[in-house]
Amino acid sequence: MGLIINTFYSNKEVFLRELISNASDALDKIRFKSIANPAELESQPELRIRLIPNLEENTLTIEDTGIGMTKSDLVHNLGTIARSGTRAFMEALQAGADISMIGQFGVGFYSAYLVADRVTVVTKHNDDDTQWLWESAAGGTFTIVPDTEGPRLGRGTSIVLHLKDKDEAKNYLKEAEIRKLVLKHSQFIQYPIEL
């Protein structure tokens, strides 16, 4: 993990693009499912992405009302698949690929560790009665537990980036900086991005 984080050193702002792109993909999935079954949207009818900077807690939250993840999805999407994608990405980099192509390797989520030393994911899927909490400090291990205390999502995913204690990372809590990055990298996302 450290190798990828160090590889990205000169282009840290890519993290927000990747996480917004993942949120948009999750929204596409629930929208597609709702075509065949409109009841899929009942738990959360609004399709949106919300960015929530919190200066006091030193966190940036990227929240979507997309499809969400089951416990199994968390293990597979943030564990096994991402690790194999990491290897493929590093091999492509060594062969001369552009670093900005990280999202195509299924490891875009891990760009969060460019600015965060810990990431908490809270997620709820319509097919799972439990809202789950996944957490990792990028050391190769993670925990998954039922989230019994946090606010209920209805459906979707909330990614909380616990930002590193560096001035540069704290810039990502400034509204003007967030707006600049969204306009630069995510202006063509078809869902509302609220700040």
Side-chain angles (χ1 to χ4, degrees), residues 15 52-55 57-62 112-119 160-174 178:
F15 86 94
I52 308 164
N54 185 326
L55 283 166
E57 299 286 326
N58 198 39
T59 61
L60 176 62
T61 302
I62 298 89
Y113 292 103
L114 295 169
V115 296
D117 52 18
R118 182 167 50 102
V119 177
V160 181
L161 308 179
H162 303 268
L163 299 178
K164 295 175 181 178
D165 274 339
K166 296 181 180 174
D167 291 335
E168 184 181 356
K170 291 182 187 245
N171 284 334
Y172 301 118
L173 296 176
K174 296 176 182 172
I178 295 170

Side-chain angles (χ1 to χ4, degrees), residues 16-17 41 47 67-68 102 117 122 136 150 156 168-169 178 182 195:
L16 192 57
R17 179 194 70 200
L41 295 179
L47 298 178
I67 198 162
I102 187 171
D117 52 18
V122 177
S136 178
E168 184 181 356
I178 295 170
V182 169
L195 179 60

Side-chain angles (χ1 to χ4, degrees), residues 114-130:
L114 295 169
V115 296
D117 52 18
R118 182 167 50 102
V119 177
T120 304
V121 176
V122 177
T123 189
K124 173 70 177 74
H125 190 286
N126 284 341
D127 295 342
D128 194 334
D129 291 335
T130 304

Side-chain angles (χ1 to χ4, degrees), residues 15 18 68 77 99-100 136 169 174 185:
F15 86 94
E18 293 300 326
N77 294 338
I99 197 166
S100 68
S136 178
K174 296 176 182 172
H185 295 295

Side-chain angles (χ1 to χ4, degrees), residues 6-191:
N6 290 330
T7 302
F8 276 118
Y9 189 77
S10 65
N11 193 15
K12 290 184 179 188
E13 66 186 35
V14 72
F15 86 94
L16 192 57
R17 179 194 70 200
E18 293 300 326
L19 296 176
I20 289 173
S21 178
N22 289 352
S24 178
D25 290 347
L27 289 161
D28 285 343
K29 288 177 183 176
I30 195 63
R31 188 178 63 165
F32 181 74
K33 280 187 82 171
S34 73
I35 293 169
N37 181 9
E40 290 284 346
L41 295 179
E42 287 178 1
S43 58
Q44 178 57 266
E46 184 183 11
L47 298 178
R48 58 141 178 82
I49 299 167
R50 182 174 290 152
L51 307 176
I52 308 164
N54 185 326
L55 283 166
E56 291 176 15
E57 299 286 326
N58 198 39
T59 61
L60 176 62
T61 302
I62 298 89
E63 184 179 278
D64 68 68
T65 57
I67 198 162
M69 290 180 272
T70 64
K71 182 179 183 181
S72 176
D73 292 336
L74 283 169
V75 171
H76 294 299
N77 294 338
L78 303 186
T80 311
I81 293 172
R83 286 192 192 114
S84 64
T86 301
R87 187 175 328 115
F89 176 65
M90 294 310 294
E91 289 170 0
L93 271 182
Q94 290 172 350
D98 182 357
I99 197 166
S100 68
M101 298 180 66
I102 187 171
Q104 296 177 18
F105 292 88
V107 291
F109 168 79
Y110 286 98
S111 65
Y113 292 103
L114 295 169
V115 296
D117 52 18
R118 182 167 50 102
V119 177
T120 304
V121 176
V122 177
T123 189
K124 173 70 177 74
H125 190 286
N126 284 341
D127 295 342
D128 194 334
D129 291 335
T130 304
Q131 178 168 297
W132 294 100
L133 187 144
W134 177 100
E135 192 164 57
S136 178
T141 62
F142 57 87
T143 58
I144 301 175
V145 296
D147 179 20
T148 57
E149 298 178 14
R152 301 294 92 191
L153 295 178
R155 183 199 65 248
T157 300
S158 179
I159 299 172
V160 181
L161 308 179
H162 303 268
L163 299 178
K164 295 175 181 178
D165 274 339
K166 296 181 180 174
D167 291 335
E168 184 181 356
K170 291 182 187 245
N171 284 334
Y172 301 118
L173 296 176
K174 296 176 182 172
E175 189 172 320
E177 182 69 14
I178 295 170
R179 286 186 190 282
K180 181 182 91 173
L181 292 177
V182 169
L183 287 172
K184 180 177 180 181
H185 295 295
S186 303
Q187 65 179 325
F188 298 111
I189 296 293
Q190 63 180 337
Y191 301 100

